[in-house]
Amino acid sequence: MSSIIEFLERMGGSAPLRNGSDAELALALDEAQVDATASSAILTKDPSRLQKFLGVESMFIVQMPVEEEEEDGEEDEEIPESRYVPTS
């Protein structure tokens, strides 16, 4: 597993590796001894397959600004500026 993480880190920091040909990328994956399943996911540019192999899930939250209320002298309940909405 660590060889995959190390390779992805190296790939992220190397424009020639990131933008190279598939043959160059395949050779680099082989030299780094990355698992065949992970290599295939990287070569086919399939992040969901790689995430599944690594056992990670995407997490994100949506933040939307709260509309400002008109000032009419009355105060309503305070509305939180952001809400955490879990996704599955």
Side-chain angles (χ1 to χ4, degrees), residues 63-64 66 79-84:
Q63 291 184 339
M64 299 177 68
V66 175
I79 300 173
E81 287 189 22
S82 65
R83 294 185 176 119
Y84 173 74

Side-chain angles (χ1 to χ4, degrees), residues 1-26:
M1 178 83 69
S2 66
S3 62
I4 299 165
I5 303 302
E6 289 170 5
F7 181 81
L8 291 172
E9 182 180 307
R10 193 174 106 211
M11 187 178 171
S14 170
L17 183 58
R18 202 172 43 249
N19 301 320
S21 70
D22 288 346
E24 293 170 329
L25 184 56

Side-chain angles (χ1 to χ4, degrees), residues 50-58:
L50 186 59
Q51 287 174 339
K52 185 177 179 181
F53 177 79
L54 294 172
V56 296
E57 294 182 22
S58 297

Side-chain angles (χ1 to χ4, degrees), residues 22-83:
D22 288 346
E24 293 170 329
L25 184 56
L27 180 62
L29 286 161
D30 189 46
E31 288 174 355
Q33 298 178 346
V34 173
D35 182 271
T37 305
S39 293
S40 175
I42 292 169
L43 286 169
T44 58
K45 298 173 175 58
D46 187 348
S48 61
R49 230 171 95 202
L50 186 59
Q51 287 174 339
K52 185 177 179 181
F53 177 79
L54 294 172
V56 296
E57 294 182 22
S58 297
M59 287 186 61
F60 63 93
I61 21 179
V62 177
Q63 291 184 339
M64 299 177 68
V66 175
E67 292 182 23
E68 295 289 328
E69 294 184 23
E70 292 181 23
E71 291 184 28
D72 58 1
E74 296 179 28
E75 291 191 26
D76 293 329
E77 281 183 36
E78 184 176 324
I79 300 173
E81 287 189 22
S82 65
R83 294 185 176 119

